[in-house]
Amino acid sequence: DVKVTQSSRYLVKRTGEKVFLECVQDMDHENMFWYRQDPGLGLRLIYFSYDVKMKEKGDIPEGYSVSREKKERFSLILESASTNQTSMYLCASSRLGDRAEGAFFGQGTRLTVV
Amino acid sequence: AQKITQTQPGMFVQEKEAVTLDCTYDTSDPSYGLFWYKQPSSGEMIFLIYQGSYDQQNATEGRYSLNFQKARKSANLVISASQLGDSAMYFCAIMGDSSYKLIFGSGTRLLVRP
């Protein structure tokens, strides 16, 4: 069974903390994505990676950074968490060159910044 | 750049009736793919159906079909014979060949009435 696994289902962090959200996939996918989901706004792309050490900004990269040192792992970093980063974060992966398969999603991490 | 517009924040449908969820898109890529995902209250993202921009036929998967009108840049999802379990958020998404970013719309919440 294919899997995208996010390290935490729920997280509570304090304002100003450095926060790491981890995502691991076991499908040898080239593409990996980080989204945040907010009511009425859908899924907004934060960052995207198509290869190890490669990254591209999505629509809302401000306040976030990412790391992809290994093909299977894609980390989202909040350098200094703020209350407006309270949200549901979703990681996804997909195979390069095979769009029809779609992207596979993790279970999501609900982050609350207090 | 790609953009997805879903203009129906919420919809109702009677059980066993058919329903159409609207999706329009914008892209500068000559080749792209369109996707529909379902997100039930549990939060998981379920891939429903895919349409390639050069596919000659509209995609179908069981009770799901995609009404693809390329000239109008629309990719509406049709669910036939609605079931109570179809109550969920539905997201339309696009991926172009130039960047492989997967971009989502704001979603439509569908409620199936018994």
Side-chain angles (χ1 to χ4, degrees):
Chain A
D1 210 12
V2 296
K3 276 225 174 101
V4 179
T5 304
Q6 295 182 230
S7 52
S8 304
R9 193 70 195 262
Y10 299 95
L11 270 181
V12 180
K13 296 292 181 180
R14 295 197 179 276
T15 302
E17 273 193 79
K18 191 168 186 176
V19 180
F20 293 86
L21 302 184
E22 307 286 347
C23 176
V24 177
Q25 51 97 0
D26 65 0
M27 295 165 282
D28 200 36
H29 283 169
E30 294 82 5
N31 298 335
M32 295 189 75
F33 310 84
W34 273 108
Y35 296 90
R36 65 176 282 175
Q37 182 177 5
D38 301 288
L41 298 177
L43 278 71
R44 293 182 291 166
L45 183 63
I46 305 171
Y47 266 99
F48 157 66
S49 170
Y50 54 90
D51 200 354
V52 174
K53 297 191 187 295
M54 305 303 290
K55 61 186 179 185
E56 280 193 29
K57 292 180 180 179
D59 295 328
I60 52 163
E62 298 78 18
Y64 303 94
S65 62
V66 289
S67 171
R68 194 164 180 202
E69 297 295 320
K70 292 185 177 181
K71 190 175 185 180
E72 67 270 18
R73 186 179 296 270
F74 192 34
S75 303
L76 180 69
I77 304 154
L78 288 65
E79 295 289 342
S80 178
S82 64
T83 54
N84 63 13
Q85 292 178 310
T86 291
S87 188
M88 172 67 85
Y89 290 87
L90 290 166
C91 175
S93 72
S94 72
R95 198 176 308 281
L96 190 67
D98 187 7
R99 278 192 308 239
E101 192 179 50
F104 295 84
F105 280 80
Q107 78 276 29
T109 297
R110 185 163 293 282
L111 173 67
T112 302
V113 182
V114 297
Chain B
Q2 284 97 30
K3 185 178 178 181
I4 292 284
T5 302
Q6 295 180 254
T7 57
Q8 306 154 312
M11 287 194 69
F12 291 97
V13 64
Q14 207 65 32
E15 193 178 8
K16 299 179 186 173
E17 301 278 313
V19 63
T20 298
L21 306 184
D22 293 342
C23 172
T24 58
Y25 63 90
D26 193 21
T27 181
S28 53
D29 281 328
S31 176
Y32 50 90
L34 294 153
F35 307 81
W36 277 91
Y37 283 82
K38 173 184 178 181
Q39 187 182 47
S41 56
S42 59
E44 61 184 309
M45 291 288 285
I46 302 168
F47 171 53
L48 294 179
I49 196 167
Y50 166 81
Q51 178 82 46
S53 59
Y54 288 109
D55 291 346
Q56 295 297 313
Q57 306 234 348
N58 285 347
T60 60
E61 288 287 346
R63 294 186 299 110
Y64 304 108
S65 59
L66 203 152
N67 183 2
F68 180 48
Q69 298 187 48
K70 194 170 182 178
R72 291 187 169 189
K73 294 191 173 181
S74 77
N76 299 339
L77 178 70
V78 180
I79 306 175
S80 63
S82 296
Q83 302 172 355
L84 296 179
D86 293 335
S87 293
M89 283 291 291
Y90 288 82
F91 293 100
C92 181
I94 187 170
M95 178 186 281
D97 276 358
S98 66
S99 75
Y100 295 105
K101 291 180 183 179
L102 183 60
I103 302 298
F104 284 80
S106 56
T108 296
R109 183 173 296 281
L110 177 68
L111 186 61
V112 181
R113 290 170 165 155

